[in-house]
Structures are given as structure tokens and as C-alpha cells.
Amino acid sequence: MDDVGTVAGAEAMLGRDREVAAALTAAPGRPVEFHAPCGFGKSVLLGQVAARLSERSGVPALYLQVGGYGPNDLRQRLTGLLCTSDVPLSGVRATLLLDDVSLGPDELREVLDDLPRCTVIIGCNRPLLGRRGRSILLTGLPTDLARQALCRYLGRDLTAAERVDADRLCRLVGGQPLRLRQAAALVRDGRHQFGHLTRAVERDPDALDRLGIDALSRPQQRTLALLAFAAGALLPAGLVGYVIGRGDIRPILESLHERGLGERTGDRFGLAVRHADDYLALLMDELTLADAVSSIVSWIGRQEPGGAQALDAADAALSIISHAVEHRDWRVVADLATVIEPIFALAGRWNAWSAAVTAGLEATRQLRDLTTKHRAVAG
């Protein structure tokens, strides 16, 4: 799977020297976590740390995108990656960079207890370690560094006329790297000037999302809609291309990442959960959930059940199931649960398998009740 390795394409982020230095103090029994909402560069920071560790020790650190892994699934994944027949997980020495960790504090503590000889560095949306390690809030960049980052994304220096508005925009978005990337893309395309973006953000803090989506082509919007349905998971590029009907999907996915409207790790692309509902509200006419799921089920059926592509798609399908359950789209839940249950069972992903089975049983019950009600009304 492509959730392991290093953060592909991760550029060095300005202004994170202190955070990198703090991460390098992590040691067995002294994990370090970086927590912040989406958009503050946790994954990029972990990529920088991995590069520094590799330079320092000559041994690359192991990066793992945790995402929706439950504690048992995470242990199983780490065992498969790190253990040999004569060395259990508790005896392994390794440096682990665990990104996008969504476990609860107690669940994370149990996992760390199984890794007493490992150095662990964590990226998460909220504090998890408590007294178990060092917790660092990842904040936005100060205005001078935010301006430099904006110029980097823009691909040129600011003009004298742009400088005041650009600095004001940097302060309005709190130096958040994701927002800086979005603003730079809009100016780079020639659609907006910094003064207009500043006024828009003053009226609506999420205006850059809306303006960015408005600037997309139809294929880009359809692709983003699919990522929004599966928010919280990373989809293989091949699956996205199959659903959208584009063999040249990679340039579209790369463009969404460059515009700050999508995430990328290796060959997989996604969207943070917090963006899902807002993006779907803006993209509701571009792609229906039923059509997307029909294509996803078909694509999964073409894959080797024990292969990495099928497992990546199953993880994405589990995120779509969560979305469908919230909207009580039980047919979608049933179709997806049926196709992904055997994939998780074959991989030994028992937390995910249990979630799929539970959702599938609930969908079956709901569909049966609906059928009974319809028959009663018809009779």
C-alpha cells in the first residue's frame, strides 16, 4: 500500500525549524505529537522530519498514513511491516511517523504500549498523548514567513501594489499554509487580485474554498465531488479515473492538490473530512453518490481481492459508507459493505471488517423495513 514510506512531493515548509527540532527529541517512551486542524501542514512537517532523520542516521524513518485504522488494525499493519518470525512487535526498534491519527487517547496509549522500543512521532487533529509524551500545537506562519510561502506558491515575487493586500490576507487567514496555497492559485490564474480575495475573506472566512471551486473546470469539479464523498480516505488514482471516466486523471488530481483543494500521499488522493459537507453543497450537481458507488463497486470487482489497490479502495468505501449512513442512503451502504467485507477479512483488518459488517446488517434491516412499509401501503 502507498500509505507507507515518505510523504511524496512534500516540500520543505518555511518557519518549522523549531517543530522539526522538537520532533528530533522524540525517543522510545517519549513520543512527540503535532496537532492542528486540517490545513496547517502536519503531513509536510512529518515529511521534513523524515528527511532530517534519514540525513542524521542514514536509515529512513517509516511513514504510515493511519487515517481510519482502528487500534487492532494498526497493530496488525505495524506487525506486518516491522516484525520477523523471531522478533515480536514489542521487541522492534524503529522510528515511526504516524500521520492523520484518529484513534482515541486510550486506544493510542494501548498501541504505544506495544511499541516500547520505538521512537514515535504523530500527526493528529487534536491532542492525544496527554502526559505520555510531548504535545505541540502547530500554528499558522507569522506574516513575514506567510508572505514568503505565498510567493513560493505564486511562483514569483509580489509587486509593490500587491504587498499591502497580500500581507493583510496572510493575517486574515492566520498564516494557514493551505489558505495561502488556495489564494496563490487564484491570483496565479489571473482570476482574482489580492485585494478582492482579502475583501472576500473578510466577509466569509471560507470564501477561498468557494472561489477555488468556482474556478475549476467541469472534470475538476466532478473529481473533487468524488473526493468529498470519500472524505477522510485516500483514493487510488486509477479508481478516481475509472469513476470519472478519464484516463488522464492524474493531471486533474495534481491540479486539485496544487490549488489547495485536495490532499496527496504517493499515488493516492483525498480530502479532509471537515471539508466534505461544504464542498458537496457546492458540487451537488456534478456527481451523484449512486453513480459514484456503482462505478466503485465495479472497479473493486476488477481488482485482486488481496491486492493493495483493492484494500485502498475498501478504505475509501468505508468512508463513503459513513457519509451514506448519515444521509440514510441504505442501498449505497448495502452495496459497498457487500463488496468490501471479504477484502478486509482477507487482509486481517478486523476493525474495518467489523465496521463494514455492522453497517451492512443495519442497511439490510432498514431496506427490509422500507419494503415492508411499501407493501403495507400498497396493500
Side-chain angles (χ1 to χ4, degrees):
M1 289 175 63
D2 223 350
D3 55 354
V4 178
T6 58
V7 185
E11 72 275 15
M13 186 181 294
L14 297 168
R16 298 303 192 203
D17 291 345
R18 288 184 180 180
E19 288 81 0
V20 171
L24 297 178
T25 67
R30 292 189 299 161
V32 173
E33 70 177 5
F34 298 97
H35 65 92
C38 169
F40 283 87
K42 298 185 294 292
S43 294
V44 176
L45 174 61
L46 292 187
Q48 288 182 249
V49 173
R52 286 288 301 275
L53 288 170
S54 181
E55 293 171 358
R56 188 174 69 172
S57 65
V59 179
L62 177 68
Y63 171 90
L64 178 62
Q65 181 87 17
V66 176
Y69 277 73
N72 293 332
D73 285 357
L74 180 54
R75 289 191 194 92
Q76 187 267 349
R77 184 73 175 131
L78 292 172
T79 298
L81 290 169
L82 300 172
C83 296
T84 61
S85 58
D86 57 342
V87 179
L89 194 58
S90 60
V92 170
R93 290 182 181 272
T95 298
L96 305 177
L97 296 156
L98 303 182
D99 197 8
D100 191 25
V101 175
S102 59
L103 300 173
D106 291 340
E107 293 174 325
L108 177 60
R109 192 176 303 114
E110 292 175 6
V111 173
L112 292 176
D113 286 342
D114 289 339
L115 302 167
R117 308 183 77 181
C118 288
T119 298
V120 182
I121 303 164
I122 297 166
C124 48
N125 288 340
R126 61 189 178 98
L128 298 174
L129 285 176
R131 297 180 179 179
R132 183 65 183 262
R134 184 177 180 186
S135 183
I136 299 173
L137 173 64
L138 202 59
T139 59
L141 301 174
T143 301
D144 57 338
L145 291 177
R147 186 192 315 120
Q148 293 180 45
L150 192 62
C151 290
R152 176 185 292 181
Y153 296 139
L154 192 60
R156 63 171 174 81
D157 291 334
L158 297 171
T159 66
E162 292 173 323
R163 175 73 177 261
V164 173
D165 286 328
D167 280 4
R168 189 176 171 196
L169 180 63
C170 289
R171 290 190 291 270
L172 282 172
V173 301
Q176 186 178 357
L178 179 67
R179 295 303 192 194
L180 300 175
R181 185 188 290 271
Q182 291 176 328
L186 290 166
V187 174
R188 190 173 61 240
D189 287 349
R191 294 175 177 269
H192 299 276
Q193 296 179 340
F194 284 113
H196 173 249
L197 296 181
T198 298
R199 291 188 291 274
V201 172
E202 284 178 329
R203 293 190 298 269
D204 175 11
D206 295 323
L208 293 176
D209 286 324
R210 173 176 50 80
L211 294 173
I213 290 173
D214 288 345
L216 298 178
S217 66
R218 184 77 182 277
Q220 288 173 320
Q221 290 184 343
R222 283 175 56 81
T223 302
L224 186 59
L226 175 59
L227 299 185
F229 282 134
L234 294 168
L235 285 70
L239 170 58
V240 178
Y242 185 84
V243 174
I244 302 303
R246 300 278 301 228
D248 58 342
I249 197 65
R250 180 172 289 280
I252 292 177
L253 289 165
E254 293 285 1
S255 72
L256 293 176
H257 173 65
E258 291 170 1
R259 292 171 176 272
L261 295 172
E263 300 177 345
R264 176 186 174 224
T265 297
D267 190 46
R268 301 183 303 152
F269 297 81
L271 187 69
V273 171
R274 80 176 188 89
H275 292 307
D277 290 340
D278 291 339
Y279 282 21
L280 285 172
L282 296 170
L283 297 163
M284 58 187 304
D285 296 329
E286 296 304 323
L287 183 69
T288 68
L289 179 59
D291 287 343
V293 168
S294 176
S295 296
I296 290 171
V297 170
S298 174
W299 188 87
I300 291 176
R302 296 166 179 254
Q303 309 304 309
E304 178 64 36
Q309 292 282 307
L311 192 54
D312 284 342
D315 280 325
L318 201 56
S319 291
I320 295 175
I321 283 175
S322 296
H323 172 83
V325 167
E326 288 181 11
H327 293 81
R328 303 185 66 80
D329 196 333
W330 300 113
R331 175 48 56 194
V332 163
V333 175
D335 289 346
L336 287 176
T338 298
V339 76
I340 67 176
E341 283 177 30
I343 294 173
F344 285 133
L346 190 61
R349 292 276 305 280
W350 302 118
N351 287 137
W353 175 84
S354 177
V357 169
T358 300
L361 290 173
E362 177 63 14
T364 299
R365 185 182 70 81
Q366 293 286 347
L367 291 170
R368 184 176 60 247
D369 290 349
L370 287 172
T371 299
T372 300
K373 290 178 182 178
H374 289 159
R375 287 174 177 171
V377 170

